Amino acid sequence: MIRIENLSKQYGDAVVLDIPELTIEAGQRFGLVGNNGAGKTTLFSLLLDLIQPTSGSVHSKAVRVDASEDWKAYTGSYIDESFLIGFLTPEEYFNFVGGLYGMSPADVMAFLQRFEILFNGEILDSGKYVRDMSKGNQKKIGIAAAMLGEPDIIILDEPFANLDPSSQIRLKQLIGELPEQQTLLISSHDLAHVTEVCQRIVLLERGKVIRDITDAPDRTMEELEAYFAGS
Amino acid sequence: MVYRLLRHSFLSQVRSPFWERSLIVNILLALLALYLLLNFLAIGYFLDVILAESFSGQDIIAVANGFLLYTLLGGLFARFMVQNFPVLDMQPYLLLPIKRNRLYHFLLLRSVFNLVNLMPLVVALPFALKVVYHRLGTVSGTVWLATILALSLTNHFLAFYLKRQFNLRPLAIVGLLVLLGGLVTLDVQGVVSLAAAFGQGIMMIVEQPVLLLLPIAILLGVYGLLYRAMHYYSYLDTVEQKREQVQSGKGIAALRRLGMAGHFLQLELRQIWRNKRPRTMLIMSLFFLLYPMLMIMDDGDDAGGSSGLGFFIILIALSFPMVNYGQFLIAWESRYFNLLMARHAPLKDYLKGKYYLFLFFNVIGFLVCLVYGFLDAAFFPIVLSAFLFISGTTVYIMLFLATYNTRAVDPAKSAFMNWEGVGGSQFLMILPAFFLPLPIYFLLLFFTGETWALVAMGGIGILGMALFRPILRQIEKQLQARKHILIDSYKQ
């Protein structure tokens, strides 16, 4: 689904990301963990062609993400607030994003049904613009918009941050309910959440992949805790 | 403590992003400020001469006092537009062990020290020294000057207060404005004589210096009012509660017929309507459409003329809304640019939406300018030719150059005295947009005469519109090539 080859990103002399090879299969639940500055957001930004690699390439399905826009039709993403439009109400925002994927307002509302519990009655019909909402509610809006249109690939940066405990649990359920063929990439500081929803965990340190755990999901947590306690 | 606060406020000025613009813009701004200051100084210094010539035989001081009411009202309006309540500067200090009272006084007093408050002084001081002291003596002169300064300081604080009230109770302020406007109308028509009474009031103070306590009391009263408002607003939740409920819009149905481009146009129209800066800028550009009117009135019958001036003026008036808004095109959307780039937003339709937006501006301008055609038939061909030319050339220039708008703009901020996003690229955009058509037109005018020049300009415009697809494709490529630079520079 996604193939990374010799990917690196440098700012001046500082190498912030250096991944010789990484392949993410269709339907995989892929978790990216690492401390601040490990390169998680940089990697996701490269996958979305928001920044240009110093060397190497990212292929999504068969196309290079920086050579074609085809991947956008089947990729949903939420990185940060720069993916939100502050002067719209949540409904208007969902309709705008849904419209990009050819969804009518009725389609959008039907789709959003599944987010009812996550939204907790604070998002739809709130009478507020997105810019006036709390960080947590903004994140919920961003996550829901990323999933609009049932894209083949969903990329979420730190989806659990800023959410209250109930919302975190609900989000994990929502992720569990995603269709099997959907590929999900999330990054997180929170080891418990990410190990719970992902079969594959990749650990980044200073831009390099230092662990790639695919088997033995029961031991993942131990291994990660040992790493973060030690470093 | 006060020293430390002063130091922070000094640092905030010096390190303000305000200065992080190109040197040229800073120099131009400094020159503009200096120019304004010199203008006011000149007005102050020559005020006696000006008044003596315009109102010969009358007492100059009485005439000056008579104008004072309107000057103050005008000043109040200008301040209302430009000044901002200093409440936001307070937040970081609220948790620190500084007495709140002291913080309020500090912020209020600090707000007095700005360029705007220098203006009344610069006008009043020369006039006082040159005329008032000379005529009425030192004591009365000083009292006069003190009265003027007290009144303009009252204005300073009153503007803050009214602005706050405007956000809370817009209707009350509008009512106040209507009332004031009515009084001024009555005054101008001579039904009541407010300004004259006000002037006499000033003279009474000058004759009875004890009465100086009155303006000072008013000043302290307004200060106290603001102080209380400050206390009220120092609690973070008070602003939050006042926010009214908004309704989700269905959007304009007709735009759906434009397909995906209409989808983006819809977004941009909302962007304009719901954000202060683009909205104010566009409303102000509408006034610019009235600019040719001055020329018609001024020039009587030969307004269209073969001089080419008519074309020049119509061209600028017509393209003004587009250029004024378009100078920050794309940068307006800096806040959510990543969304547009990472999600399924086809660049072609994104640009097409902007093309339609500009066309919409131009059609409105065209319709307004057609009125000039009814006033003077010579304007019909000029307006049509300019409209076609702009819609077929300038529009593309704006779209292309917008990809160089690398300075992020926050459209929610006020439009007045706001230099955010202003940089070299604005000059690069405005100059060709306004002035590229002119040499072409004047060349044509010189060689072929007016009729054929207008036909040719319109023809170039039609050709430009006919080449819509290939030109748009080039601009799309340009945006694609500049995409990462824009994303990077919009990052906060």
Side-chain angles (χ1 to χ4, degrees):
Chain A
M1 200 71 184
I2 293 176
R3 205 173 78 243
I4 290 167
E5 280 168 6
N6 297 321
L7 191 69
S8 78
K9 180 70 188 172
Q10 292 182 12
Y11 290 106
D13 286 337
V15 179
V16 293
L17 197 73
D18 181 16
I19 301 180
E21 204 269 319
L22 188 70
T23 307
I24 298 166
E25 303 298 340
Q28 198 162 62
R29 304 289 140 93
F30 178 94
L32 195 59
V33 294
N35 285 322
N36 287 331
K40 302 189 295 290
T41 307
T42 307
L43 177 57
F44 281 177
S45 300
L46 283 164
L47 296 184
L48 295 169
D49 190 35
L50 289 172
I51 53 180
Q52 283 173 305
T54 310
S55 72
S57 63
V58 177
H59 282 81
S60 179
K61 290 191 179 170
V63 299
R64 268 183 74 135
V65 292
D66 52 355
S68 154
E69 290 193 73
D70 295 347
W71 56 273
K72 289 183 182 175
Y74 58 82
T75 307
S77 51
Y78 182 72
I79 303 291
D80 57 19
E81 294 95 75
S82 66
F83 280 59
L84 295 175
I85 305 179
F87 57 84
L88 297 182
T89 64
E91 288 89 344
E92 289 166 349
Y93 174 70
F94 289 131
N95 286 336
F96 174 75
V97 177
L100 297 177
Y101 297 88
M103 297 171 83
S104 75
D107 298 340
V108 170
M109 283 308 130
F111 177 84
L112 289 176
Q113 295 272 307
R114 70 185 76 170
F115 291 92
E116 207 180 322
I117 304 176
L118 179 69
F119 286 172
N120 195 25
E122 290 167 3
I123 309 280
L124 299 177
D125 295 319
S126 60
K128 281 185 187 172
Y129 291 132
V130 172
R131 64 183 170 207
D132 299 329
M133 304 190 102
S134 70
K135 285 259 185 265
N137 282 338
Q138 288 186 343
K139 181 141 266 169
K140 291 178 191 176
I141 295 170
I143 292 169
M147 296 183 178
L148 265 180
E150 313 256 1
D152 298 344
I153 302 172
I154 301 171
I155 299 178
L156 301 172
D157 196 19
E158 296 283 356
F160 295 105
N162 284 329
L163 292 188
D164 57 57
S166 307
S167 303
Q168 290 177 341
I169 292 166
R170 182 59 195 146
L171 178 59
K172 277 185 279 185
Q173 287 168 352
L174 273 170
I175 290 174
E177 290 162 12
L178 289 176
E180 253 178 43
Q181 70 278 11
Q182 251 176 344
T183 312
L184 175 75
L185 285 73
I186 62 173
S187 72
S188 186
H189 287 304
D190 197 314
L191 303 175
H193 295 314
V194 82
T195 47
E196 215 172 304
V197 296
C198 296
Q199 324 132 348
R200 181 180 180 190
I201 306 284
V202 163
L203 177 55
L204 277 183
E205 185 185 277
R206 297 202 191 111
K208 287 195 162 57
V209 175
I210 58 167
R211 301 274 160 87
D212 188 346
I213 311 167
T214 40
D215 46 356
D218 45 323
R219 285 198 50 244
T220 308
M221 193 66 189
E222 278 171 50
E223 203 174 320
L224 287 175
E225 273 180 347
Y227 163 75
F228 280 103
S231 62
Chain B
M1 198 68 240
V2 170
Y3 165 75
R4 220 174 279 172
L5 284 175
L6 273 174
R7 188 177 141 72
H8 281 186
S9 98
F10 174 73
L11 284 179
S12 87
Q13 294 290 323
V14 174
R15 296 180 184 170
S16 151
F18 186 86
W19 304 108
E20 290 171 10
R21 278 171 280 107
S22 61
L23 189 63
I24 299 173
V25 179
N26 282 330
I27 292 174
L28 281 175
L29 282 177
L31 283 178
L32 184 73
L34 196 66
Y35 171 76
L36 278 176
L37 210 59
L38 283 176
N39 266 339
F40 275 85
L41 193 66
I43 292 176
Y45 190 75
F46 294 112
L47 192 62
D48 54 333
V49 186
I50 301 169
L51 292 179
E53 278 200 7
S54 318
F55 300 88
S56 55
Q58 297 180 38
D59 178 30
I60 311 175
I61 299 178
V63 172
N65 286 341
F67 275 112
L68 204 57
L69 181 64
Y70 287 130
T71 317
L72 285 172
L73 283 180
L76 186 63
F77 183 71
R79 286 167 187 277
F80 182 81
M81 290 301 193
V82 175
Q83 289 183 167
N84 274 319
F85 201 61
V87 72
L88 274 182
D89 306 341
M90 187 158 58
Q91 283 190 5
Y93 296 104
L94 283 178
L95 286 176
L96 299 178
I98 304 172
K99 279 199 174 134
R100 277 177 181 248
N101 301 357
R102 197 177 275 185
L103 198 58
Y104 307 151
H105 283 303
F106 171 75
L107 286 173
L108 287 175
L109 289 177
R110 194 191 70 184
S111 72
V112 171
F113 296 94
N114 72 33
L115 200 66
V116 178
N117 279 320
L118 207 56
M119 300 294 180
L121 187 67
V122 157
V123 177
L125 192 63
F127 186 69
L129 289 178
K130 211 172 149 190
V131 182
V132 186
Y133 276 84
H134 185 65
R135 291 266 197 87
L136 304 176
T138 317
V139 177
S140 300
T142 312
V143 170
W144 185 83
L145 193 62
T147 310
I148 306 286
L149 291 183
L151 286 172
S152 59
L153 275 182
T154 306
N155 242 354
H156 170 80
F157 292 119
L158 195 60
F160 285 139
Y161 188 72
L162 289 180
K163 195 153 186 171
R164 266 297 124 181
Q165 292 299 310
F166 182 70
N167 287 340
L168 299 181
R169 282 184 285 271
L171 278 181
I173 298 290
V174 171
L176 190 70
L177 270 179
V178 170
L179 183 75
L180 221 61
L183 281 176
V184 168
T185 317
L186 288 179
D187 186 58
V188 171
Q189 292 183 340
V191 182
V192 290
S193 48
L194 277 181
F198 192 79
Q200 279 157 15
I202 304 282
M203 282 319 276
M204 265 168 70
I205 295 173
V206 172
E207 283 156 20
Q208 296 283 328
V210 186
L211 289 176
L212 181 60
L213 288 174
L214 189 69
I216 291 178
I218 296 175
L219 173 62
L220 290 179
V222 175
Y223 184 89
L225 218 55
L226 202 59
Y227 180 85
R228 270 182 48 199
M230 201 89 176
H231 181 69
Y232 179 69
Y233 281 107
S234 67
Y235 293 90
L236 299 177
D237 57 344
T238 33
V239 188
E240 202 72 24
Q241 283 169 6
K242 297 290 174 191
R243 210 165 268 142
E244 56 182 298
Q245 294 276 304
V246 292
Q247 290 284 321
S248 297
K250 287 262 179 291
I252 304 166
L255 291 181
R256 267 172 232 140
R257 301 182 56 181
L258 295 174
M260 195 60 104
H263 200 55
F264 290 113
L265 179 54
Q266 173 83 63
L267 181 70
E268 190 134 29
L269 288 174
R270 282 197 172 125
Q271 192 273 118
I272 294 170
W273 190 244
R274 293 184 183 170
N275 287 299
K276 232 190 231 168
R277 193 172 173 195
R279 191 176 54 212
T280 324
M281 279 173 78
L282 275 174
I283 292 173
M284 290 198 305
S285 339
L286 283 180
F287 286 105
F288 232 82
L289 285 172
L290 303 175
Y291 176 59
M293 183 67 102
L294 293 176
M295 193 189 124
I296 295 180
M297 307 234 275
D298 197 39
D299 225 29
D301 28 46
D302 183 41
S306 51
S307 61
L309 198 63
F311 185 81
F312 171 63
I313 287 179
I314 290 288
L315 185 89
I316 289 196
L318 253 181
S319 45
F320 199 79
M322 177 175 79
V323 176
N324 201 14
Y325 177 78
Q327 60 175 320
F328 300 120
L329 204 72
I330 301 182
W332 289 123
E333 295 169 296
S334 52
R335 281 289 175 91
Y336 55 90
F337 194 65
N338 280 355
L339 173 83
L340 297 173
M341 292 301 117
R343 304 304 298 272
H344 186 50
L347 293 185
K348 191 183 81 189
D349 294 310
Y350 172 69
L351 288 169
K352 220 193 248 181
K354 297 194 181 321
Y355 178 84
Y356 289 144
L357 178 77
F358 281 163
L359 214 56
F360 172 65
F361 287 168
N362 290 348
V363 168
I364 291 180
F366 176 66
L367 293 176
V368 172
C369 286
L370 267 190
V371 174
Y372 302 124
F374 290 108
L375 293 174
D376 180 344
F379 271 108
F380 274 125
I382 295 180
V383 171
L384 182 66
S385 168
F387 169 72
L388 290 174
F389 186 83
I390 292 169
S391 304
T393 57
T394 319
V395 172
Y396 299 127
I397 298 178
M398 296 299 294
L399 284 177
F400 187 85
L401 292 178
T403 59
Y404 290 95
N405 276 336
T406 48
R407 285 158 200 274
V409 168
D410 180 2
K413 288 189 189 154
S414 162
F416 293 97
M417 304 299 280
N418 186 348
W419 303 94
E420 189 181 57
V422 178
S425 63
Q426 268 63 51
F427 293 102
L428 271 180
M429 281 176 104
I430 293 170
L431 289 180
F434 280 150
F435 299 108
L436 182 80
L438 292 178
I440 305 175
Y441 180 72
F442 281 112
L443 267 178
L444 285 167
L445 190 68
F446 182 74
F447 285 112
T448 64
E450 199 197 356
T451 312
W452 286 108
L454 288 176
V455 170
M457 291 305 273
I460 294 175
I462 291 173
L463 187 71
M465 283 188 259
L467 294 175
F468 178 68
R469 277 161 184 280
I471 294 177
L472 208 68
R473 203 171 304 133
Q474 288 308 311
I475 300 173
E476 188 191 337
K477 272 187 196 158
Q478 162 76 6
L479 180 58
Q480 187 74 53
R482 299 271 311 165
K483 167 182 152 179
H484 295 102
I485 298 173
L486 290 176
I487 291 172
D488 188 48
S489 42
Y490 293 155
K491 229 181 269 168
Q492 260 107 32

